[in-house]
Amino acid sequence: QVTLKESGPVLVKPTETLTLTCTVSGFSLSNARMGVSWIRQPPGKALEWLAHIFSNDEKSYSTSLKSRLTISKDTSKSQVVLTMTNMDPVDTATYYCARMLLWFGERMDVWGKGTTVTVSS
Amino acid sequence: DIQMTQSPSSLSASVGDRVTITCQASQDISNYLNWYQQKPGKAPKLLIYDASNLETGVPSRFSGSGSGTDFTFTISSLQPEDIATYYCQQYDNLSVTFGQGTKLEIK
């Protein structure tokens, strides 16, 4: 069974750096047909893609947030880590990680339940 | 970046109705278009991939079509459990973009 679980702080202060971890099970981060994406959703708003990473360590970032994001993976720990610097109240959102299946296209076929992050002093 | 324009933003329909949502890309994306369903308080769920392929386990009343810049998502006969927000999502080699979502309600 494929699962993904997000973890990280519930509350961060403005200007701080957010570090989120996605722990996966049921598949390997070294599988060439799979990757992991991070997506966020502010309260009552639409989904926003943030970044993704593939088995060959290829990475891609949202153009608007690229300067603030870093994605990395530890295959041995089955974890993908996203850091976002200089947090602001507008970054308050539920953050999801999702598996990207690269087979006959590219899609986010399994999602974690999400973790809610509030940015406030 | 490729922009996705999804419409309508909200929709009210009756059980049994045929429901259609459209998504327009700002440039040609071939068939690189997926559709997701999100129920309140839950993570999104993949329904359709590559514009028209039904994800395993998804009811056949859901379907998708289109290529290039114009795409359509259809529920052939609306069921009460289909109440959710639906998102289109494009992908290319460099980035991913979601549409703004369509909130579907029962009339």
Side-chain angles (χ1 to χ4, degrees):
Chain A
Q1 180 187 5
V2 173
T3 64
L4 300 94
K5 186 173 183 178
E6 306 88 350
S7 59
V10 175
L11 179 66
V12 297
K13 291 181 168 56
T15 75
E16 288 186 340
T17 294
L18 171 68
T19 299
L20 295 173
T21 301
C22 177
T23 303
V24 310
S25 64
F27 72 99
S28 171
L29 296 175
S30 63
N31 188 319
R33 293 179 181 161
M34 294 170 190
V36 171
S37 269
W38 282 96
I39 306 98
R40 72 177 179 180
Q41 185 173 39
K45 295 188 177 182
L47 301 167
E48 178 183 20
W49 174 75
L50 301 176
H52 64 221
I53 189 166
F54 296 118
S55 60
N56 61 359
D57 216 38
E58 178 185 347
K59 303 160 189 174
S60 186
Y61 296 98
S62 162
T63 301
S64 62
L65 293 168
K66 185 173 185 176
S67 63
R68 298 173 54 205
L69 295 173
T70 302
I71 191 169
S72 63
K73 66 181 175 71
D74 185 329
T75 301
S76 64
K77 293 183 178 179
S78 295
Q79 292 181 333
V80 175
V81 175
L82 182 76
T83 62
M84 181 180 293
T85 61
N86 194 25
M87 293 292 284
D88 183 272
V90 300
D91 297 313
T92 294
T94 297
Y95 287 76
Y96 297 98
C97 60
R99 183 177 77 167
M100 297 186 68
L101 183 60
L102 311 174
W103 181 246
F104 290 103
E106 179 179 307
R107 54 200 181 272
M108 300 174 202
D109 69 328
V110 184
W111 293 61
K113 293 183 177 180
T115 186
T116 299
V117 178
T118 299
V119 184
S120 175
S121 54
Chain B
D1 288 0
I2 298 173
Q3 306 302 316
M4 303 302 294
T5 303
Q6 190 174 336
S7 62
S9 57
S10 64
L11 177 58
S12 182
S14 300
V15 173
D17 281 355
R18 182 180 184 87
V19 170
T20 298
I21 298 168
T22 64
C23 198
Q24 185 172 59
S26 60
Q27 64 188 70
D28 190 332
I29 58 170
S30 184
N31 66 333
Y32 301 153
L33 192 284
N34 304 321
W35 291 96
Y36 299 85
Q37 175 193 66
Q38 186 180 33
K39 296 185 177 181
K42 300 294 186 181
K45 174 187 175 182
L46 175 68
L47 299 180
I48 303 286
Y49 65 94
D50 286 356
S52 61
N53 294 292
L54 194 66
E55 175 72 347
T56 302
V58 174
S60 59
R61 64 180 181 274
F62 296 100
S63 65
S65 64
S67 65
T69 60
D70 295 305
F71 301 86
T72 301
F73 171 81
T74 300
I75 306 174
S76 60
S77 178
L78 185 66
Q79 299 302 303
E81 60 266 31
D82 299 336
I83 298 312
T85 300
Y86 293 84
Y87 293 93
C88 62
Q89 171 247 315
Q90 70 81 27
Y91 63 93
D92 64 16
N93 285 335
L94 300 177
S95 71
V96 168
T97 315
F98 287 93
Q100 289 305 298
T102 296
K103 186 174 183 179
L104 180 55
E105 298 174 331
I106 292 287
K107 193 180 293 184

